[in-house]
Amino acid sequence: MPEKKPLIVINFKTYAQATGRAAETLAKIADMVSKMEKVPIIVAVQPTDIYRIAKSTSVPVFAQHIDPVAYGSNTGWILPEAAVDAGAVGTLINHSEKKLELDVIEKTIKKAKELKLQTICCAADSEQAKSVAQFNPDYVAVEPPELIGGNISISTAQPELIEDAVRKVKSASITTKLLVGAGVKTKEDIDIAMKLGAYGVLLASGVTKAKDQKRAIQSLIIGEDKLPKEKKKEEKT
Ligand code: G3P
């Protein structure tokens, strides 16, 4: 049986290397590698970058957050309709850097569904993953906050969390798929997650901060050992 391809979601956060023009460049790279390697990639970008990226690439663009507000008097909030209009096809919500209350999560997922926006709802552990999975987002992404941005991945540090989250999400929703994230930087990290039942990964610094972002994405998919050695670049700290 052919290996199942992972879904790779790259969260651009607010890294300088993934903001504005640099965000557009990175999204084009992600688009190209996705097509080249035939692996699905999604980019989660700042609201101010949705339009330029959706206009200039065919990579699926997600907002990093939306608010469950309607047209009207909501200064500074992110109107879901505006995200759709700018070209977003989905949204992250409840990232550990943008936590939401459970009732807000429910409302936001409901609103996103009405607009046919896909949803990735983040969770810090498997219990939280189960709680948010009951709202049937398309994906729940489990990320232990203490591993985010570091060099030790969820796959190596907490494989049992992945297994537990797979079970708990399944028990709460028959449609929601599990992504895992935090410290994911290698193909091995992804392979472990997939073997344990994840559908894909959510990651950021391994790609955004790499000196050679194209190589970093390729390496996630085909493995560092399969890439030409001479092009190897150091990562920024
Ligand atoms: O949203 C992905 C993120 O929180 C994980 O970050 O840098 O550990 O891949 P990173």
Side-chain angles (χ1 to χ4, degrees):
M1 219 170 60
E3 235 176 71
K4 215 175 103 223
K5 303 209 166 170
L7 170 63
I8 298 177
V9 183
I10 307 172
N11 181 2
F12 286 20
K13 301 200 176 182
T14 55
Y15 286 116
Q17 304 91 327
T19 296
R21 194 174 301 163
E24 188 176 329
T25 304
L26 178 54
K28 284 180 178 161
I29 292 170
D31 196 11
M32 177 175 67
V33 177
S34 169
K35 288 183 179 124
M36 217 158 66
E37 306 296 345
K38 300 189 172 44
V39 165
I41 297 180
I42 287 169
V43 296
V45 309
Q46 294 169 55
T48 40
D49 288 327
I50 294 172
Y51 183 75
R52 71 186 296 162
I53 292 173
K55 264 273 186 225
S56 61
T57 75
S58 55
V59 70
V61 180
F62 277 40
Q64 291 176 7
H65 169 81
I66 53 169
D67 293 299
V69 292
Y71 288 109
S73 314
N74 302 290
T75 306
W77 294 66
I78 301 178
L79 178 72
E81 284 84 348
V84 172
D85 195 53
V89 296
T91 186
L92 276 184
I93 52 164
N94 196 41
H95 191 278
S96 95
E97 293 148 14
K98 188 75 182 165
K99 296 297 293 174
L100 303 172
E101 296 297 332
L102 206 59
D103 64 316
V104 178
I105 293 173
E106 182 176 16
K107 269 191 220 147
T108 309
I109 292 174
K110 188 166 174 283
K111 175 93 197 231
K113 281 182 192 292
E114 285 164 15
L115 295 172
K116 298 197 172 23
L117 263 182
Q118 295 176 62
T119 43
I120 301 174
C121 185
C122 299
D125 55 38
S126 51
E127 274 311 318
Q128 215 178 89
K130 185 176 176 179
S131 310
V132 299
Q134 64 175 315
F135 307 130
N136 298 307
D138 295 281
Y139 308 92
V140 167
V142 176
E143 301 194 313
E146 69 280 10
L147 297 176
I148 291 178
N151 286 320
I152 301 167
S153 72
I154 180 171
S155 306
T156 48
Q158 300 189 28
E160 66 292 340
L161 168 59
I162 301 178
E163 286 178 293
D164 193 39
V166 168
R167 269 194 303 272
K168 292 212 165 85
V169 167
K170 235 184 225 158
S171 74
S173 166
I174 51 165
T175 52
T176 302
K177 299 179 177 81
L178 181 78
L179 307 178
V180 298
V184 172
K185 290 192 167 56
T186 65
K187 179 175 188 298
E188 291 68 42
D189 291 331
I190 297 181
D191 288 347
I192 294 170
M194 297 299 285
K195 256 193 208 111
L196 296 174
Y199 189 83
V201 291
L202 172 61
L203 62 98
S205 54
V207 168
T208 54
K209 291 169 78 178
K211 277 216 178 114
D212 186 339
Q213 295 173 325
K214 179 177 173 216
R215 185 184 175 95
I217 304 175
Q218 281 180 306
S219 162
L220 284 169
I221 298 168
I222 62 177
E224 186 61 28
D225 53 327
K226 301 271 181 341
L227 291 170
K229 297 252 180 306
E230 65 273 17
K231 282 188 189 161
K232 192 167 179 185
K233 301 247 173 92
E234 291 294 306
E235 280 189 2
K236 262 189 204 168
T237 47

